[in-house]
PDB file of all heavy atoms in Angstrom:
ATOM      1  N   SER B   1      94.997 119.103 101.284  1.00 67.00           N
ATOM      2  CA  SER B   1      93.708 118.408 101.295  1.00 67.00           C
ATOM      3  C   SER B   1      92.783 119.069 102.303  1.00 67.00           C
ATOM      4  O   SER B   1      93.236 119.559 103.329  1.00 67.00           O
ATOM      5  CB  SER B   1      93.885 116.954 101.702  1.00 67.00           C
ATOM      6  OG  SER B   1      94.791 116.304 100.865  1.00 67.00           O
ATOM      7  N   GLN B   2      91.499 119.049 102.002  1.00 79.00           N
ATOM      8  CA  GLN B   2      90.558 119.543 102.991  1.00 79.00           C
ATOM      9  C   GLN B   2      89.474 118.510 103.191  1.00 79.00           C
ATOM     10  O   GLN B   2      89.128 117.740 102.294  1.00 79.00           O
ATOM     11  CB  GLN B   2      89.964 120.879 102.550  1.00 79.00           C
ATOM     12  CG  GLN B   2      89.109 120.821 101.302  1.00 79.00           C
ATOM     13  CD  GLN B   2      88.413 122.128 101.036  1.00 79.00           C
ATOM     14  OE1 GLN B   2      87.765 122.681 101.913  1.00 79.00           O
ATOM     15  NE2 GLN B   2      88.524 122.610  99.814  1.00 79.00           N
ATOM     16  N   TYR B  25      82.348 122.709 102.859  1.00 95.00           N
ATOM     17  CA  TYR B  25      83.809 122.705 102.859  1.00 95.00           C
ATOM     18  C   TYR B  25      84.302 124.142 102.995  1.00 95.00           C
ATOM     19  O   TYR B  25      83.497 125.081 103.008  1.00 95.00           O
ATOM     20  CB  TYR B  25      84.344 122.027 101.591  1.00 95.00           C
ATOM     21  CG  TYR B  25      83.871 122.645 100.298  1.00 95.00           C
ATOM     22  CD1 TYR B  25      84.607 123.634  99.644  1.00 95.00           C
ATOM     23  CD2 TYR B  25      82.670 122.246  99.718  1.00 95.00           C
ATOM     24  CE1 TYR B  25      84.172 124.203  98.469  1.00 95.00           C
ATOM     25  CE2 TYR B  25      82.222 122.799  98.527  1.00 95.00           C
ATOM     26  CZ  TYR B  25      82.972 123.776  97.912  1.00 95.00           C
ATOM     27  OH  TYR B  25      82.533 124.339  96.737  1.00 95.00           O
ATOM     28  N   LYS B  26      85.616 124.328 103.085  1.00 93.00           N
ATOM     29  CA  LYS B  26      86.118 125.651 103.473  1.00 93.00           C
ATOM     30  C   LYS B  26      86.889 126.410 102.399  1.00 93.00           C
ATOM     31  O   LYS B  26      86.846 127.637 102.362  1.00 93.00           O
ATOM     32  CB  LYS B  26      86.982 125.525 104.731  1.00 93.00           C
ATOM     33  CG  LYS B  26      86.186 125.079 105.938  1.00 93.00           C
ATOM     34  CD  LYS B  26      87.011 125.020 107.194  1.00 93.00           C
ATOM     35  CE  LYS B  26      86.126 124.602 108.353  1.00 93.00           C
ATOM     36  NZ  LYS B  26      86.892 124.377 109.593  1.00 93.00           N
ATOM     37  N   THR B  27      87.616 125.697 101.549  1.00 88.00           N
ATOM     38  CA  THR B  27      88.424 126.423 100.564  1.00 88.00           C
ATOM     39  C   THR B  27      88.050 125.980  99.152  1.00 88.00           C
ATOM     40  O   THR B  27      87.318 125.010  98.976  1.00 88.00           O
ATOM     41  CB  THR B  27      89.924 126.198 100.819  1.00 88.00           C
ATOM     42  OG1 THR B  27      90.209 124.807 100.667  1.00 88.00           O
ATOM     43  CG2 THR B  27      90.311 126.637 102.222  1.00 88.00           C
ATOM     44  N   SER B  28      88.565 126.664  98.171  1.00 91.00           N
ATOM     45  CA  SER B  28      88.180 126.397  96.784  1.00 91.00           C
ATOM     46  C   SER B  28      88.589 124.983  96.368  1.00 91.00           C
ATOM     47  O   SER B  28      89.549 124.419  96.887  1.00 91.00           O
ATOM     48  CB  SER B  28      88.806 127.433  95.853  1.00 91.00           C
ATOM     49  OG  SER B  28      90.208 127.335  95.916  1.00 91.00           O
ATOM     50  N   ILE B  29      87.846 124.449  95.428  1.00 91.00           N
ATOM     51  CA  ILE B  29      88.043 123.055  95.020  1.00 91.00           C
ATOM     52  C   ILE B  29      88.149 122.923  93.508  1.00 91.00           C
ATOM     53  O   ILE B  29      87.721 123.810  92.766  1.00 91.00           O
ATOM     54  CB  ILE B  29      86.885 122.159  95.516  1.00 91.00           C
ATOM     55  CG1 ILE B  29      85.540 122.673  94.971  1.00 91.00           C
ATOM     56  CG2 ILE B  29      86.873 122.082  97.032  1.00 91.00           C
ATOM     57  CD1 ILE B  29      84.366 121.737  95.260  1.00 91.00           C
ATOM     58  N   ASN B  30      88.720 121.804  93.070  1.00 91.00           N
ATOM     59  CA  ASN B  30      88.683 121.429  91.657  1.00 91.00           C
ATOM     60  C   ASN B  30      87.453 120.569  91.371  1.00 91.00           C
ATOM     61  O   ASN B  30      86.856 120.648  90.305  1.00 91.00           O
ATOM     62  CB  ASN B  30      89.925 120.610  91.270  1.00 91.00           C
ATOM     63  CG  ASN B  30      91.180 121.443  91.339  1.00 91.00           C
ATOM     64  OD1 ASN B  30      91.166 122.634  91.029  1.00 91.00           O
ATOM     65  ND2 ASN B  30      92.271 120.830  91.757  1.00 91.00           N
ATOM     66  N   LYS B  70      80.106 127.176  99.098  1.00 96.00           N
ATOM     67  CA  LYS B  70      81.008 126.073  99.461  1.00 96.00           C
ATOM     68  C   LYS B  70      80.199 124.911 100.043  1.00 96.00           C
ATOM     69  O   LYS B  70      80.464 124.440 101.180  1.00 96.00           O
ATOM     70  CB  LYS B  70      82.090 126.544 100.436  1.00 96.00           C
ATOM     71  CG  LYS B  70      83.070 127.535  99.805  1.00 96.00           C
ATOM     72  CD  LYS B  70      84.220 127.863 100.729  1.00 96.00           C
ATOM     73  CE  LYS B  70      85.269 128.676 100.002  1.00 96.00           C
ATOM     74  NZ  LYS B  70      84.765 129.934  99.436  1.00 96.00           N
ATOM     75  N   PRO B  91      85.700 116.937  99.159  1.00 93.00           N
ATOM     76  CA  PRO B  91      86.063 118.098  98.348  1.00 93.00           C
ATOM     77  C   PRO B  91      87.541 118.000  97.999  1.00 93.00           C
ATOM     78  O   PRO B  91      88.360 117.689  98.865  1.00 93.00           O
ATOM     79  CB  PRO B  91      85.791 119.282  99.290  1.00 93.00           C
ATOM     80  CG  PRO B  91      85.777 118.709 100.664  1.00 93.00           C
ATOM     81  CD  PRO B  91      85.489 117.249 100.559  1.00 93.00           C
ATOM     82  N   HIS B  92      87.862 118.201  96.740  1.00 90.00           N
ATOM     83  CA  HIS B  92      89.207 117.924  96.273  1.00 90.00           C
ATOM     84  C   HIS B  92      89.823 119.123  95.584  1.00 90.00           C
ATOM     85  O   HIS B  92      89.205 119.746  94.720  1.00 90.00           O
ATOM     86  CB  HIS B  92      89.163 116.737  95.306  1.00 90.00           C
ATOM     87  CG  HIS B  92      90.504 116.176  94.988  1.00 90.00           C
ATOM     88  ND1 HIS B  92      90.849 115.707  93.741  1.00 90.00           N
ATOM     89  CD2 HIS B  92      91.610 116.009  95.758  1.00 90.00           C
ATOM     90  CE1 HIS B  92      92.085 115.276  93.765  1.00 90.00           C
ATOM     91  NE2 HIS B  92      92.570 115.440  94.973  1.00 90.00           N
ATOM     92  N   SER B  93      91.056 119.444  95.971  1.00 85.00           N
ATOM     93  CA  SER B  93      91.777 120.530  95.319  1.00 85.00           C
ATOM     94  C   SER B  93      93.252 120.186  95.285  1.00 85.00           C
ATOM     95  O   SER B  93      93.760 119.504  96.182  1.00 85.00           O
ATOM     96  CB  SER B  93      91.555 121.846  96.061  1.00 85.00           C
ATOM     97  OG  SER B  93      91.950 121.721  97.412  1.00 85.00           O
TER      98      SER B  93
END
Side-chain angles (χ1 to χ4, degrees):
Chain B
S1 304
Q2 65 172 309
Y25 57 93
K26 295 183 178 174
T27 62
S28 63
I29 58 172
N30 293 324
K70 293 187 172 58
H92 192 217
S93 57

